[in-house]
Amino acid sequence: MRSLKFAAIIAAVSWFINPSYAQQLAGEKSLLPEANYGNSEVTVEKVLGYPLGTKITSPADMSRYFEALKQAYPKQVKLLEYGKSWEGRTLYYAVISSEDNMADFDGFMQGMQALADPRKTNSDKAEQLIDELPGSIWLSYGVHGNEISSPEAAMMTAYHLLHDQREQTQRWLDNTMVFIDPLQNPDGRARFVDRYYMSVGLEHSGDRRSAEQNEPWPNGRTNHYLFDMNRDWIALTQPEISGQIDALLKYYPLVFVDLHEMSGDSTYYFTPEARPYNPLITESQRETLNWIGKNNGQWFDEKGFDYFTREIFDAFYPGYGASWPLYQGSVAMTYEMASARGHLFDRTDGDVLTYADGVQQHFIASISTIQTVSERREALLQKFWEYRKSAVEAGEDGDVRSIILPAKDDPAAARKLASLLVEQGAEVKQAEKAFDVCGTDYEAGAYIIDMAQPAHRMIRTLMDKQVDMADDFLAEQEQRRNNNLPDQIYDVTGWSLPLMFNVDSYTCDDLPDVATAFVEEGRIEPGKVTNPDAKVAFLIRWGDMNAGRFLTAALREGLEVRQSELAFTHESAGEFPSGSLILTRADNPDGLQAKLKKLAEASGATVEGVDTSWMTEGPNFGSHNVSKLEAPNIAIAWDEPASPYSAGHTRFVIERQMGYPVTAIRTMQLLQDDLDGLDVLILPEGAYSGVFNDKSVEKIQRWVSDGGVLLTLGRASAWAVETGLLNTQLERKVPEEGVTEPDEAIKVDGKVIESRDQFLTEIKPHGADPDWVPGALLNAEVDTKHWLSAGVKPQVVSIYNGNDVFTPIDIDHGRNIAWFAGADSLLASGFLWDDIAQQLPYKPLLMWQPSGKGMIISFTQEPTYRAYMDGLNTLLMNALFLAPAKAQ
């Protein structure tokens, strides 16, 4: 009894100290007063215990609410699971429509599948489907866990559709199948909600200096592995996105909306998007985006909500949730609401933004878009059919009829790329025999992509080596640079999957005449052991992720593995590249054969048994060029000032793609504790000068000298230069001709300026840093004679993001293992400013510097960027596993 009385007192006091809440939006009716909801047992307040919009709902409670809707309306609501988050939370979506539509849900799915493939569905059947099928919309909420209002709006949207008795809402349900993904990122939201309510005091604070408004590292935006999942739609590294794509390819919703939050001092943003536009987006799709934006504008005008369009958030990079569906024939868009980042936010204009304000405006945008889909149902279905039909025709009539991926040089990367295309809805086949086409011979196993298919534009945006921005847009950006204004390029400009995977791809204007089999999903093709009863040893060729996964698994199993720094030729097994692995029977326990079979199947590696150790070329097993590998203790700096993205991406690549555990150590522990017992310490991208002091640098230097391997990535490499750990320099921007150091005198000699070009030169700064590059793919050359590049091709492709340019390390201090290619071949994909394109050639990408018994290995760019730069993985694995063996 005492506890109940105490709870009642606390509740009363809470209401008393927050009297302003009485005037704020609270509950479903307050968000849309004109609705006719009547009585209901499934309001948020009755199910969860608080009025809608007055509390940030946890992922668990959100699931409870949607389960309650399903129980109350079993004939109108389906809840379907599409995966699990890394932390084990269920990922699901709700489907809501009229009872008649839901009774034929399977028929709807089959109808959309038929409409999506004009090779199998003729025009008469398509016309029938367009006449009969409901329209469809997919509303995705909460991809960023600290963008908190949209998941609450998902609950409100579902409630409204099921409870509003007005004729217009019933008509929407008759015409439309509404898919609601209420929470794309439950792990990030859980992190935010737990932290937020731990920081709340006697009353909520809108002061942007308050603990409520300032999230600790890594904040709630990202998922468990700290990915911005709104960049993952081309690489599909995270289950929250790959599972969602599986669902989208079942139903092909005609409209996709990704609902976000932005600065609390802003208003509301919706379609149409800003420039640049991806040229593979059609004019018909642009027309639809304008239909939707205009109807949203009418709703917002009626409600008195401010909004804007076209100024930011472009549609160029295809890896956003609001971009990916466009290349399947749907239309997709981003909605952005000013964020309270809690219950209240004090805006600079003096107004107070509330959490419920965000819920209401996201809800209004959601139902406005549903209305457009309902009223434009037939036109949207027609546009979808025509898009898919024109995609097939573009493949038949275009200059490129097929793309071929040879599977020999890097079978792991080729297989992953082929599977990734299949996962994106493309058809890929694999040749069962050798063949020749367009004057080139290919071996059996090569992957063939026929471009005459409905996913034609999706394939192009993923596989084309270059997607150009419009010339007039680029000219405008140059003008902005001349005026010292930031450019308007929002994200990376190069993303070609073959380049990022460092996989050769070839185009042909013909289709190969060879027997093929369809490729099914599966990024790893099971490996095998040849000659499993070998008497002496087992060998694995180094250079792809199959071998890498095998190595990490073997080390974790406690097997003894050796690695050759040099290439060798075995008398019966043939040639093996540098870095190849050796497991001898003599060094390993009984039962080796069974373990190797299991590891080969799981990793994809081919393990070749040999009955002799005799080599015809290169080192024998006992050579000093063959190193025994130990299972290293790998640690990564975690917490401020490391970039959450870089730290998370790097840990993910090592743990989930390479299969090896990483110890995350908070930076304060690195400051306070010794580094004994660590073999490799990774410093991700980050501004470490603000945290690591001189004593920290000295401690790291001593640890390296005692045999540690320090691995720095991106800006951490710049920090290593600034502190003297790494013996090279950072470069300023190359001065342009005519740009001189300004005279500091008050009066200077007069100068005649004869042209606008000279004027623009005169106003340029002296000694500036290089211009910022938002993200391009650059070619780099590799020193293949160093052990750190074992198994690596002579050329790799790297992301270049930022503006750091390093001078090459002096040969007396170390080696430049990889450097950016010459000016004529530097740019692999994307866009570079002319001045930095002239400055980057022959500047280092990867440097190695021995120091005492240990070494510093510095990537000047992030090899783990977004976990999609697979072509750099072998260099990274050499740094992680071979480098500790080389340390003394």
Side-chain angles (χ1 to χ4, degrees), residues 837-880:
Q838 296 301 315
Q839 186 174 354
L840 275 173
Y842 304 104
K843 302 301 167 58
L845 168 65
L846 175 60
M847 292 174 282
W848 168 79
Q849 177 181 294
S851 180
K853 296 179 181 179
M855 65 193 73
I856 299 172
I857 299 173
S858 293
F859 284 89
T860 62
Q861 291 291 311
E862 292 180 72
T864 55
Y865 186 80
R866 295 184 182 172
Y868 61 27
M869 297 305 303
D870 286 40
L872 299 175
N873 280 347
T874 300
L875 281 171
L876 179 60
M877 292 200 73
N878 289 340
L880 295 171

Side-chain angles (χ1 to χ4, degrees), residues 119-135:
R119 299 168 303 174
K120 300 175 182 178
T121 303
N122 62 34
S123 297
D124 290 341
K125 179 61 176 176
E127 186 176 341
Q128 178 186 345
L129 290 169
I130 291 167
D131 184 58
E132 297 173 352
L133 285 171

Side-chain angles (χ1 to χ4, degrees), residues 537-615:
F538 296 89
L539 311 177
I540 300 96
R541 288 179 173 81
W542 190 244
D544 72 358
M545 282 297 288
N546 290 341
R549 286 186 290 265
F550 179 92
L551 171 62
T552 59
L555 292 175
R556 294 179 71 190
E557 284 275 350
L559 300 180
E560 183 166 312
V561 185
R562 304 183 200 178
Q563 190 167 32
S564 175
E565 298 170 27
L566 304 177
F568 60 84
T569 302
H570 187 271
E571 72 166 357
S572 62
E575 296 180 356
F576 286 76
S578 59
S580 292
L581 308 177
I582 304 163
L583 292 90
T584 65
R585 278 197 176 274
D587 291 333
N588 283 287
D590 293 339
L592 178 62
Q593 178 180 331
K595 289 183 178 180
L596 293 179
K597 183 176 184 295
K598 181 185 71 173
L599 297 183
E601 289 179 351
S603 67
T606 296
V607 181
E608 299 191 42
V610 294
D611 296 319
T612 175
S613 63
W614 187 254
M615 302 295 174

Side-chain angles (χ1 to χ4, degrees), residues 28-29 31-37 96 137-139 141 150 152-164 166 168-173 176 178-180 255 257 259 268 270 291-292 295-300 302-303 305 335 358-376:
E28 292 82 0
K29 188 65 177 177
L31 300 187
L32 193 68
E34 64 267 34
N36 179 20
Y37 293 137
I96 299 174
I137 179 173
W138 186 288
L139 299 165
Y141 302 86
S150 77
E152 211 84 11
M155 296 196 295
M156 178 62 199
T157 301
Y159 175 87
H160 174 81
L161 291 173
L162 294 167
H163 293 89
D164 185 19
R166 293 177 301 161
Q168 70 170 16
T169 304
Q170 299 307 305
R171 186 167 59 252
W172 297 351
L173 293 174
T176 312
V178 180
F179 294 82
I180 296 176
V255 171
V257 185
L259 294 97
Y268 198 99
F270 48 72
W291 289 349
I292 292 169
N295 193 51
N296 290 352
Q298 291 176 352
W299 276 78
F300 272 56
E302 290 173 4
K303 296 295 179 182
F305 300 153
Y335 292 172
V359 177
Q360 183 184 36
Q361 293 187 37
H362 267 324
F363 161 62
I364 294 300
S366 297
I367 61 173
S368 167
T369 312
I370 292 170
Q371 179 188 39
T372 301
V373 175
S374 172
E375 295 178 353
R376 304 269 191 173

